[in-house]
Amino acid sequence: MDNALDVITIGEAMAMFVARETGDLADVEQFMKRVAGAELNVATGLARLGLKVGWVSRVGDDSFGRFVLNGLKKEGINAEGVILDGCYRTGFQLKSKVENGTDPIVEYFRKDSAASHLSVDDYYAGYFSRARHLHLSGVAAALSRSSYELLDHAARTMKAQGKTLSFDPNLRPVLWESEAEMVEKLNQLAVQADWVLPGLKEGMILTGRQTPEAIADFYLDRGVQAVVIKTGSDGAWYKSATGEKGAVAAVRVENVVDTVGAGDGFAVGVISALLEGKTLHQAVARGNKIGSLAIQVQGDSEGLPTRDALGDA
């Protein structure tokens, strides 16, 4: 039996209650229950494209935790690396409904969650060795010191095994003690990656540089193989260690419904295409397309396409 995985990622999932009506969350009476989490969004998108994906985390032994596990099963995501924690609870969040393309308000209830207690003890060598690629995000890195240590250990170990790594900074300043600590720690993870996927503003914060090429060079000079920078409405800009570089225009969207999850969708496109052996330009174009699909529906992962829905991208 083939138990190989294409990708493993590590992160936190929460139950998410999405408002059914616009307005202040305090006044909303009806919500839809969904599953949320940056790394899980990426895992979901990759699984829908037919990749074999494993997701590593801790969830509480509670109804929210079972809800997350049911979601993994529905999407065909391997859950062998998920620990059911009897001591700590699964986090949740409230998300407002917007209809004008602005960012929704999200309130988090995740302090001391089960996932924040991830540690190097959750690195099961036999499981991680089954994957050819590791995807990490700055969200899981920010959960706790022990969670960060797990990500760092996974990155170092899998890199030493010759696996490829991708890293999305996904900055969450509120979860760090200081911006200086955030910059230092996330750059330590970033320079271990083959592919780094920051937004333009994120890149400015992390590198102190102001242009896409200067940001890319910061990481390329430290051994990264390719840097893809999300440039908002302009699309994305990329540069590789071989000198290949260029811009890919954004896919125009007439009606932006929900911006949350766009970056995760972009990561799905880039990672899946590169794992399929497509060129960096083709990968960025796919990232732009999936990102554009993600923002046309309400929900963090509802817009992520299947292989058939993606078409020829």
Side-chain angles (χ1 to χ4, degrees), residues 94-159:
L94 303 178
K95 180 179 175 182
S96 69
K97 179 179 180 180
V98 293
E99 296 178 332
N100 57 1
T102 59
D103 292 342
I105 300 298
V106 182
E107 293 186 1
Y108 295 94
F109 301 82
R110 73 195 315 174
K111 185 175 176 60
D112 209 29
S113 67
S116 72
H117 290 272
L118 281 164
S119 73
V120 175
D121 290 341
D122 297 311
Y123 184 88
Y124 300 103
Y127 183 67
F128 278 85
S129 67
R130 288 161 53 184
R132 61 187 175 114
H133 182 82
L134 174 68
H135 176 68
L136 300 177
S137 157
V139 179
L143 291 177
S144 65
R145 187 178 301 276
S146 65
S147 178
Y148 179 88
E149 290 171 351
L150 170 61
L151 269 61
D152 184 62
H153 179 75
R156 293 180 187 278
T157 303
M158 293 186 72
K159 188 177 182 69

Side-chain angles (χ1 to χ4, degrees), residues 195-246:
W195 315 323
V196 178
L197 313 173
L200 181 57
K201 291 182 179 179
E202 291 178 326
M204 291 178 179
I205 293 170
L206 291 173
T207 68
R209 302 184 180 184
Q210 302 302 307
T211 66
E213 185 156 20
I215 293 167
D217 287 342
F218 176 91
Y219 293 111
L220 295 172
D221 290 344
R222 289 161 174 79
V224 173
Q225 295 302 301
V227 181
V228 182
I229 300 168
K230 293 159 280 190
T231 54
S233 60
D234 290 333
W237 192 92
Y238 65 89
K239 187 175 182 180
S240 73
T242 61
E244 179 188 3
K245 62 182 179 180

Side-chain angles (χ1 to χ4, degrees), residues 236-258:
W237 192 92
Y238 65 89
K239 187 175 182 180
S240 73
T242 61
E244 179 188 3
K245 62 182 179 180
V248 181
V251 177
R252 298 302 171 189
V253 174
E254 294 296 327
N255 182 32
V256 177
V257 175
D258 187 344

Side-chain angles (χ1 to χ4, degrees), residues 35 59-72 84 90:
V35 175
V59 297
D61 187 6
D62 49 43
S63 61
F64 289 165
R66 294 192 297 275
F67 178 60
V68 170
L69 291 172
N70 290 340
L72 295 175
L84 197 63
T90 310

